Amino acid sequence: MEAKTKDLWVFIETNEDGSPKKVGLELLNPGRMMADKQGGKLVAVVIGDNVAESVEQAGIYGADQVIVVEGPEYKQYTTDAYVKALYHLTEKYGPTTIMIGATNNGRDMGPRFSSRVKTGLTADCTSLDIDEETGNVAWTRPAFGGNLMATIMCPDHRPQCGTVRPGVFKKPEAGENKAEVIKEEFHVAPRPSRGCQRGSW
Amino acid sequence: MNILVCVKQVPDTTQIKIDPVKHTLIREGVPAILNPFDGYALEAAARIKDKDPGTKIVVVTMGPPQATAVLKECVGIAADKGYLVSGRTFGGSDTLATSYILSHAIKKIEETEGKFDAIFCGKQAIDGDTAQVGPEIAEWLDLPQVTYGLEIEATEDGFKVQKEAEDGMQVIGIKSPCLITFTKPSFDPRYPTIKRKLMANKAKFETLGDDFDPTMDAANYGLNGSPTHVKKSFTPPVKSGGMKIKEETGEESAKKLAKILVDNNIV
Ligand SMILES: Cc1cc2nc3c(=O)[nH]c(=O)nc-3n(C[C@H](O)[C@H](O)[C@H](O)COP(=O)(O)OP(=O)(O)OC[C@H]3O[C@@H](n4cnc5c(N)ncnc54)[C@H](O)[C@@H]3O)c2cc1C
């Protein structure tokens, strides 16, 4: 996909009650540094149900813009609905970078999303920067059971994507909420016919 | 039931040492093993076969010719057949490229083995550690997915999967055909039996080489077809060793620990 902007997106994963998972807010911290170096906006993408609190927090912790997709079909995470929504937003707005918290859901959604876009995804990063020479994100991650660190880049595909390990970065300082909020109406069938449903063992 | 299990041969990363001078991984002498998570995926398939003996289990691995060793091991444990995907042009593939090749290989294997009701993968390979290849194969093949599977049961039109979630356990119903990745369950996978080992020693494995599917686009695999590139690698700084607290009694140890935590403003 072509990047239409220099914007950096942070995916804010929500709990079932609509509050944000910590890792999304943590990522606004390196996200700010990287968005500034990239010369674009820091955008928080919130998907969930009744997400007012998450939208507010994303603004308080420094997002320039918050894009919101809201609906009962997003109350519980499903691969199908979340990947469709994130894909739709990406196609429409064309960010240059997307960061996703490496929670179980984030690592379920990330590769499904990046392979739909046909772009690169760096897994479970623990350190982030912008490469001065090329302007690409330099994603650093452990491999070989933590015995090796690798710095990975995705030079020719956009958006460049990575999942980032929770607890590595601290939440930024809270500040005045100046974020512009964009509500996107995007809905998917609540129960995909072939798909996954919660049940009991 | 027809199940395909994707397996990878990996270095036993628990035995990898770091060269203290060059700061590189010492790979010599490190045994190549079946990725443990793929062993859990195979065990899940074997448990389905225990209940439904008509089940066929096929394994596939992509790697150099010596990766046939893991196919053999899988036949020794429970698999009925195995395929090796091996070609020079496949080398250097990142996860997107790897999943592209494997998804084409799966379609090719289905021409011989029939449609698979389910594709099982490990949650992650212990060398690359990305946990991305499973969901990416599911996307190329347009299959629903469940990740972090622990236990599985066949249902009328698919499977019931118990999966690990951050806040406990979830049970997901999924229709077949589908793709499921497995993490470490609470039980140990079975060992090979002598009888199966003898069978495995005689087993022949078909190889899908560079040109197994002429419709594959070379721009989508290999080093040049991979969107991500490893720019540099280095060994992490050595973690400073922990601290041992071992007083006369448990109570004294606990008190000492509490004092250290309080003195250092940790609690
Ligand atoms: C240090 C280092 C870091 C890397 N980081 C990244 C990265 O961040 N992003 C990226 O896209 N690539 C990365 N790669 C490339 C990646 O390791 C390879 O593409 C590798 O072939 C597949 O990834 P994995 O080992 O992480 O597998 P995983 O995605 O962890 O494997 C999951 C499951 O997929 C199946 N599977 C995986 N490989 C095979 C196979 N060869 N044959 C059969 N089944 C298989 C198995 O069931 C396995 O359990 C990195 C490589 C190195 C050396």
Side-chain angles (χ1 to χ4, degrees), chain A residues 120-125 141-144 148-150 152, chain B residues 5-10 27 35 37-38 41 60-63 92-98 102 120-137 181-182 227-228 230 233:
Chain A
L121 177 68
T122 304
D124 203 22
C125 303
R141 61 175 299 256
F144 290 85
L148 189 75
M149 303 297 292
I152 290 171
Chain B
V5 186
C6 298
V7 298
K8 187 181 180 191
Q9 188 181 46
V10 295
R27 296 199 193 205
N35 179 40
F37 292 101
D38 304 347
V60 63
T61 191
M62 182 169 105
S93 292
D94 74 352
T95 64
L96 184 67
T98 298
L102 281 173
F120 289 179
C121 288
K123 176 192 74 161
Q124 73 192 65
I126 60 165
D127 52 352
D129 268 342
T130 68
Q132 292 180 177
V133 170
E136 289 172 347
I137 292 174
T181 79
F182 288 89
T228 66
V230 178
S233 59

Side-chain angles (χ1 to χ4, degrees), chain B residues 122-225:
Chain B
K123 176 192 74 161
Q124 73 192 65
I126 60 165
D127 52 352
D129 268 342
T130 68
Q132 292 180 177
V133 170
E136 289 172 347
I137 292 174
E139 175 62 22
W140 288 110
L141 296 176
D142 193 24
L143 298 174
Q145 74 188 46
V146 173
T147 51
Y148 296 92
L150 291 163
E151 285 191 51
I152 186 162
E153 241 174 47
T155 57
E156 212 161 273
D157 58 355
F159 301 93
K160 208 157 74 166
V161 189
Q162 198 180 79
K163 72 166 278 183
E164 193 181 85
E166 238 121 82
D167 48 2
M169 224 91 86
Q170 277 173 7
V171 176
I172 308 269
I174 186 166
K175 288 189 183 164
S176 58
C178 59
L179 184 142
I180 298 160
T181 79
F182 288 89
T183 187
K184 192 178 186 343
S186 55
F187 46 82
D188 287 326
R190 69 198 63 192
Y191 290 105
T193 60
I194 306 244
K195 195 169 144 218
R196 291 206 66 100
K197 263 191 165 165
L198 292 173
M199 221 167 80
N201 280 335
K202 283 191 225 134
K204 293 263 178 298
F205 303 105
E206 193 182 318
T207 301
L208 308 185
D210 289 285
D211 303 317
F212 78 82
D213 180 353
T215 69
M216 276 207 305
D217 183 350
N220 285 343
Y221 60 85
L223 197 59
N224 291 328

Side-chain angles (χ1 to χ4, degrees), chain A:
Chain A
M1 243 181 231
E2 292 281 320
K4 298 177 190 168
T5 67
K6 292 180 179 173
D7 294 353
L8 179 143
W9 284 12
V10 169
F11 172 67
I12 309 282
E13 188 183 340
T14 55
N15 296 306
E16 282 184 26
D17 65 3
S19 62
K21 290 222 166 128
K22 245 163 83 187
V23 62
L25 303 177
E26 289 166 12
L27 293 189
L28 292 171
N29 190 359
R32 167 50 65 202
M33 174 272 290
M34 290 157 71
D36 289 348
K37 286 193 187 177
Q38 286 184 336
K41 288 194 289 288
L42 172 61
V43 179
V45 174
V46 177
I47 302 175
D49 192 27
N50 290 318
V51 294
E53 183 191 340
S54 292
V55 174
E56 171 70 14
Q57 300 252 335
I60 289 174
Y61 289 109
D64 299 313
Q65 194 178 64
V66 186
I67 302 177
V68 190
V69 173
E70 205 169 12
E73 69 268 44
Y74 304 110
K75 186 179 173 73
Q76 292 178 338
Y77 169 83
T78 63
T79 315
D80 195 58
Y82 273 64
V83 171
K84 275 187 185 145
L86 187 60
Y87 185 85
H88 166 77
L89 298 177
T90 304
E91 227 179 7
K92 179 163 176 183
Y93 293 98
T96 194
T97 303
I98 303 182
M99 302 201 300
I100 298 164
T103 59
N104 286 21
N105 290 343
R107 293 186 82 175
D108 181 275
M109 180 184 78
R112 188 84 200 212
F113 165 77
S114 63
S115 52
R116 191 163 299 175
V117 181
K118 306 212 172 16
T119 188
L121 177 68
T122 304
D124 203 22
C125 303
T126 53
S127 159
L128 301 165
D129 207 348
I130 301 289
D131 179 55
E132 282 190 6
E133 206 174 300
T134 59
N136 295 316
V137 177
W139 312 89
T140 299
R141 61 175 299 256
F144 290 85
N147 286 305
L148 189 75
M149 303 297 292
T151 300
I152 290 171
M153 284 189 222
C154 175
D156 305 317
H157 295 69
R158 290 295 177 266
Q160 45 194 336
C161 303
T163 57
V164 184
R165 192 176 282 189
V168 172
F169 296 97
K170 287 211 166 64
K171 271 195 303 192
E173 296 282 316
E176 193 190 333
N177 183 352
K178 293 186 206 149
E180 171 200 10
V181 176
I182 299 177
K183 294 221 162 162
E184 275 289 328
E185 286 301 326
F186 182 79
H187 294 285
V188 296
R191 285 227 169 120
S193 55
R194 62 172 190 182
C196 311
Q197 296 184 6
R198 298 258 182 124
S200 53
W201 192 240

